[in-house]
Amino acid sequence: MDNQELRAVATKALSLLDLTNLKDDCTPEQIVSLCGKAQTAYGPTAAICIWPRFVMQARTLLGPDSPIRIATVVNFPSGAMKIEDVLAETRDAVADGADDIDLVIPYRALASGDEKAVTDMVTAVKAACGNAILKTILETGELKDVALIRKASDLAIAAGADFVKTSTGKVGVNATLEAADIMLQSIRDSRKRVGFKPAGGISTVADAGLYLRLADTIMGEDWVIPSTFRFGASGLLDDILAVLSGERSTAAASGY
């Protein structure tokens, strides 16, 4: 990838980025920093992605008219909470000002053969989202099997998901191009307007470019926009800014 192409990918990736802090020990001070980082000299990120307990703080910091969306997580990271508890989390987050709800599906239940658990969870949480968009986290690195990843994606889309997302960033294997390929084909075959979010381990503009190229190949070159594609990452922004400022890409791999 030459410098011109790298800069073009960096510019696009910035507009698609859900800048993330889901560290267990995240502090209010780090949320202040995250909100500041999301407003770059080259334009804003698409969103920040944070724990539910920080949504109200972030909404106050960003204000009601910010172009930066606030995403938060529910049933996270285990995917094993009861539906009523996940619904309470969702309603509270929306009331606090969340724009996007990133829901971990009950992937362990699916792996043991319980498809209904996924359908019931996604359907119920979608109804609780109100005007917020619902991104469903499949935890593809734990599902592993190609057919199971495809099944998880198909079920989530059929139940009303607005996005399918690869990973929590909390397990050994997170976003992979193989999982992305399966999920993008699921979206294409559904013929529904559903977005895709690779998350976890994408820390360089070059890595981001591989996912964008794959999406262009499967979905068509005009498909990738913030309403249909997001990157979930914490370290990617540093590399984006390095590339856009003319510095050398120096990003090291990060957990998310």
Side-chain angles (χ1 to χ4, degrees):
M1 203 182 293
D2 63 29
N3 283 343
Q4 186 175 354
E5 187 179 1
L6 205 61
R7 286 181 66 86
V9 171
T11 298
K12 189 161 199 173
L14 177 62
S15 73
L16 304 171
L17 181 60
D18 283 8
L19 182 63
T20 299
N21 187 331
L22 292 170
K23 294 178 180 175
D24 293 339
D25 59 356
C26 183
T27 65
E29 292 74 23
Q30 289 173 336
I31 297 300
V32 173
S33 175
L34 195 76
C35 289
K37 284 179 68 177
Q39 304 173 78
T40 82
Y42 304 96
T45 65
I48 57 170
C49 186
I50 54 178
W51 290 105
R53 65 183 181 272
F54 296 120
V55 169
M56 189 179 290
Q57 178 195 2
R59 177 51 67 207
T60 300
L61 288 166
L62 292 173
D65 301 319
S66 173
I68 300 166
R69 297 176 69 88
I70 298 174
T72 194
V73 291
V74 298
N75 203 22
F76 189 94
S78 71
M81 293 170 59
K82 295 177 180 177
I83 284 185
E84 53 265 34
D85 294 331
V86 181
L87 292 177
E89 270 191 326
T90 302
R91 293 185 186 111
D92 287 349
V94 171
D96 285 348
D99 300 298
D100 301 6
I101 299 294
D102 289 26
L103 161 75
V104 183
I105 67 164
Y107 62 89
R108 291 187 187 90
L110 176 63
S112 68
D114 188 357
E115 296 180 7
K116 187 173 183 293
V118 176
T119 299
D120 289 351
M121 179 72 77
V122 176
T123 301
V125 174
K126 174 63 177 174
C129 278
N131 292 325
I133 71 166
L134 175 62
K135 306 195 205 92
T136 49
I137 305 172
L138 309 186
E139 203 66 293
T140 54
E142 294 293 285
L143 292 176
K144 298 182 177 71
D145 181 72
V146 169
L148 204 51
I149 293 169
R150 176 62 189 245
K151 176 58 70 175
S153 189
D154 289 349
L155 288 170
I157 292 169
D162 298 301
F163 269 73
V164 285
K165 173 178 170 181
T166 58
S167 323
T168 61
K170 299 286 190 181
V171 295
V173 176
N174 293 293
T176 66
L177 288 167
E178 181 188 32
D181 187 34
I182 297 163
M183 294 164 69
L184 286 163
Q185 288 187 55
S186 171
I187 293 169
R188 180 197 63 198
D189 294 348
S190 76
R191 302 186 177 220
K192 294 185 176 183
R193 185 177 171 81
V194 175
F196 172 65
K197 179 176 173 178
I202 301 166
S203 57
T204 69
V205 172
D207 285 344
L210 296 175
Y211 286 91
L212 294 176
R213 193 175 306 137
L214 179 65
D216 286 347
T217 299
I218 295 174
M219 302 300 299
E221 293 194 1
D222 297 327
W223 184 79
V224 173
I225 55 177
S227 61
T228 54
F229 192 106
R230 305 280 186 85
F231 287 109
S234 59
L236 179 58
L237 181 62
D238 292 339
D239 200 50
I240 289 171
L241 296 179
V243 169
L244 292 178
S245 65
E247 298 172 18
R248 189 172 166 187
S249 172
T250 56
S254 72
Y256 201 107

